Amino acid sequence: MIFNDVLGGLLAGGVGGIASGFLGITSGGILVPLLVLMLGQDQHVAQGISLVAQVVPTSLSGVRNYRQSGHHISMRWLVWLAIGFAVGGCVGALLATHVSDRALQWTFVGYLIVLLAIIILRPPRPKAEGVAGDVKDLPLPWAALATIGAIAGWSSGFLGIGGGLAITALMTGLLKVSQHRSQAVSLAVTALPVTLPAALLYVQQGTELPWITIVSLIVGLWIGTDIGARFANRVSPDKLRVILMIVIAGMAVFMATRAWR
C-alpha cells in the first residue's frame, strides 16, 4: 500500500510537473484529475493533496529555465497577482467545504470550458518589428492583475487546481502578454506559497491527507517541471497554444465523464 502511494505520487507529480513546466498551467490543473484517476482519491482529498503539495516552490526549476531563455518576469506583476491570489484562495477554500463532490466536478468542467473559449477566441498577439524577446515592462493596470490573481486564487481554493491555468489563459487572452512570458509568470506566482491559506483551511477543517503521497508528489513535481520548461523553450508560441487547448479540452472531457457517473 505504501509502495503504491509513493509510486503513484511520483508518477502523478512527474506528469503534473511536465505539464506545468511545458504549458505554464501549474501542476494543480493536472494533479486533481490524476489523483482521482490513478490513486482513487475522492474530489475533496485530491484537492487538499494538490494544494498542500503546491505550497513547496517546485515550479522554481521551471522559472529558472524560462528566465535563462529571456522571458522577463516583472516583480510588480507578481506582487499584484499574488495579493489577488491569496484573497481568492481563501474565499474558494471556504466555499468548497460546503459543496458536494459532484458539484465541484461540474464546476471544474465549466471553468475549463470558459478558459478554453478565451484561449480559442483571442487573436494572436502581433510581435512588433525589430523587437527581440519580451518587452520588460508592459503597462498593465494593477486592478487587472489583482483580478486575474483573485480568479486564479478562487480556482485554486475551490477546485484545488493551482490557479496557473487561469493566469496563463487570462494574461494571454485578455492582457495580450506573450505565451512564453505568461507561462513564466504563472510558474513564478505559484512558486510563492500562495496556496498556503487554502491548504491550511483544508487541513483545519478535518480533511485527512496521505502525507507519504504528498512527499513523493513534491519530488515528482520538481523533476517534471524542470523537464517541461526545457522543452517549452524549444516550441513556438502558436504550437504551445494549440497543445494547451488540447490539454484543457481533454481535462474537461475526463472530468465531465467522472461527474456524469
Side-chain angles (χ1 to χ4, degrees):
M1 185 66 178
I2 293 178
F3 176 78
N4 290 337
D5 288 344
V6 172
L7 181 60
L10 285 172
L11 288 174
V15 173
I18 290 172
S20 175
F22 189 69
L23 297 173
I25 61 176
T26 68
S27 55
I30 298 292
L31 285 183
V32 174
L34 286 177
L35 291 168
V36 171
L37 177 65
M38 295 174 59
L39 299 182
Q41 302 289 353
D42 66 44
Q43 188 74 17
H44 279 98
V45 173
Q47 292 180 189
I49 293 172
S50 174
L51 288 172
V52 172
Q54 291 171 84
V55 173
V56 180
T58 54
S59 61
L60 281 177
S61 56
V63 172
R64 182 187 67 245
N65 277 296
Y66 277 103
R67 292 195 65 175
Q68 288 175 345
S69 297
H71 303 294
H72 176 73
I73 299 171
S74 168
M75 288 303 299
R76 175 178 170 273
W77 294 7
L78 289 184
V79 169
W80 286 114
L81 287 167
I83 290 172
F85 198 110
V87 175
C90 290
V91 173
L94 287 171
L95 293 175
T97 59
H98 303 290
V99 179
S100 67
D101 278 1
R102 176 158 292 189
L104 286 173
Q105 289 170 335
W106 279 118
T107 303
F108 195 174
V109 173
Y111 168 82
L112 292 173
I113 291 173
V114 170
L115 292 184
L116 180 60
I118 291 172
I119 295 172
I120 291 174
L121 296 174
R122 79 171 184 91
R125 178 176 181 267
K127 188 173 181 179
E129 294 184 7
V131 175
D134 292 320
V135 179
K136 287 193 174 182
D137 292 305
L138 295 173
L140 301 182
W142 67 267
L145 292 167
T147 299
I148 288 176
I151 294 171
W154 169 84
S155 71
S156 175
F158 193 74
L159 301 172
I161 63 174
L165 179 57
I167 293 174
T168 297
L170 296 177
M171 290 196 74
T172 55
L174 301 182
L175 300 184
K176 302 298 184 267
V177 178
S178 69
Q179 185 73 29
H180 281 100
R181 192 176 184 187
S182 294
Q183 295 182 186
V185 170
S186 174
L187 292 179
V189 171
T190 52
L192 303 172
V194 289
T195 62
L196 181 59
L200 288 175
L201 284 170
Y202 267 80
V203 174
Q204 291 172 355
Q205 292 173 13
T207 305
E208 295 185 6
L209 302 176
W211 294 100
I212 292 178
T213 300
I214 291 173
V215 172
S216 59
L217 196 68
I218 290 169
V219 174
L221 285 172
W222 184 272
I223 297 171
T225 303
D226 183 70
I227 294 172
R230 290 177 186 272
F231 279 105
N233 285 313
R234 301 177 183 177
V235 179
S236 71
D238 288 339
K239 288 182 179 179
L240 284 177
R241 178 170 170 258
V242 172
I243 295 171
L244 180 60
M245 289 189 290
I246 293 172
V247 170
I248 295 174
M251 289 164 55
V253 170
F254 169 72
M255 292 306 295
T257 302
R258 296 284 304 184
W260 192 262
R261 294 177 183 176

